[in-house]
Amino acid sequence: MRLKTLATLLSGFALSGLLLGAGALAPVQSAEAAAQQPSSKKSVRKAKPAPRSPRKAALVEAAAKPTFGQLYGLHAVDDPLDLKSSVALVLDQDTNEVLFSKNSQAVLPIASITKLMTALVVVEAGLSLDEQLTISDEDKDTEKGTGSRLAIGTTLSRGELLHLALMASENRAASALGRNYPGGPTAFVAAMNQKAQSLGMTDTHYVEPTGLSSRNQSSAKDLAALVKVAHEFPLLREFSTSKDHQVMVGKRQMAFHSTNGLVRSSSWDIGLQKTGFINEAGRCLVMQAKLAGRKLIMVFLDSTGKYSRIGDAERVRKWLSTQPSTAADSGVGG
């Protein structure tokens, strides 16, 4: 089914309480609960079930929820490379020539790909990278309830927080960067959206700097524009492609590692990258890389499976290596 048809069918619906980004389709139903475990026939007496912690129950329920892409039916769209991502875009960085496209106009949650815009706004503001910033209670994740290795009270430089946000996708680091922007978090989010508009990212909308909110949404074509601009900054290239980094937290040295295993692969020449994941978004990945003698921008959204976004990138790399002189838009789904 074509996306335009889907948009027509679903335009009258909206996910309760959800503020959609421009151009987004609205899920028509909530996630179904996980299937109940079959009861054991060998039980002699009825035992009172063990109490289940609210946190564990919430995590199980969250894991059972389909992604927005699944709700929209985007995974039903076939593509020649059999990608596990429901959205994909590969284009030539220099010429903007599209080599591969799949549902590239679809607007979806982008998870921690958000942090690429967070970093861009910080570096363009010219704020001191040496200024010491302290993680506070305001940086706790109230959206998903996740933890962090950066304890409340941790003090690091703005540059170190920027490094950890890009390389290790540290949520509290990204939150602290936004909170310490002139005018605070509200001004920072406004600057993120203003920058998106200036880049022509008309499908993009941000509500916070970490990507934990599913209301941070964009399309593959918009994210390709973001990657292209972010790649112009040497600091963002360096920090996003670091394999690991150590910082002093109090008197203790802590090691952080990249969330993208491809930066360690000799088969890849990656100039800039960012990963992302929340349940609503699936596994996401954006990269600038040199492949088949060309500088390419690659976007993969809503991939199913822990390693599937990496697998999709490898599928594209192998496909390009077999036809280095061929550049054809697959034309799949937009």
Side-chain angles (χ1 to χ4, degrees), residues 77-88:
V77 177
D78 294 327
D79 68 82
L81 301 185
D82 193 26
L83 300 182
K84 304 307 177 186
S85 302
S86 72
V87 171

Side-chain angles (χ1 to χ4, degrees), residues 202-239:
T202 56
D203 293 330
T204 302
H205 181 69
Y206 299 102
V207 299
E208 50 83 32
T210 68
L212 287 165
S213 173
S214 61
R215 292 185 291 164
N216 286 0
Q217 299 186 2
S218 187
S219 64
K221 66 179 185 63
D222 276 13
L223 293 177
L226 175 59
V227 170
K228 187 172 185 177
V229 172
H231 184 262
E232 297 174 1
F233 292 82
L235 189 67
L236 301 188
R237 297 200 301 267
E238 176 190 348
F239 283 178

Side-chain angles (χ1 to χ4, degrees), residues 44-185:
V44 177
R45 62 176 181 175
K46 292 182 179 181
K48 186 177 181 181
R52 196 181 204 179
S53 74
R55 180 175 175 80
K56 286 185 178 180
L59 289 173
V60 170
E61 182 180 357
K65 290 183 178 180
T67 66
F68 277 31
Q70 289 171 330
L71 289 173
Y72 300 154
L74 299 182
H75 284 274
V77 177
D78 294 327
D79 68 82
L81 301 185
D82 193 26
L83 300 182
K84 304 307 177 186
S85 302
S86 72
V87 171
L89 181 64
V90 181
L91 56 82
D92 188 297
Q93 181 178 353
D94 295 324
T95 67
N96 289 325
E97 181 181 10
V98 176
L99 280 69
F100 187 91
S101 176
K102 176 184 179 182
N103 295 328
S104 62
Q105 304 278 352
V107 179
L108 296 174
I110 57 173
S112 287
I113 305 300
T114 295
K115 294 183 178 74
L116 198 55
M117 178 61 83
T118 296
L120 181 61
V121 170
V122 169
V123 296
E124 286 200 328
L127 303 174
S128 171
L129 296 180
D130 296 324
E131 182 182 354
Q132 300 294 301
L133 308 179
T134 301
I135 302 296
S136 77
D137 284 325
E138 296 177 70
D139 301 316
K140 287 182 177 180
D141 172 18
T142 58
E143 185 79 29
K144 302 288 193 258
T146 60
S148 171
R149 297 179 64 198
L150 297 180
I152 305 303
T154 298
T155 298
L156 295 171
S157 70
R158 179 177 281 109
E160 288 174 319
L161 292 174
L162 186 64
H163 199 158
L164 296 182
L166 284 173
M167 180 198 73
S169 208
E170 249 297 337
N171 292 314
R172 288 184 183 176
S175 176
L177 290 171
R179 184 170 51 78
N180 287 278
Y181 185 82

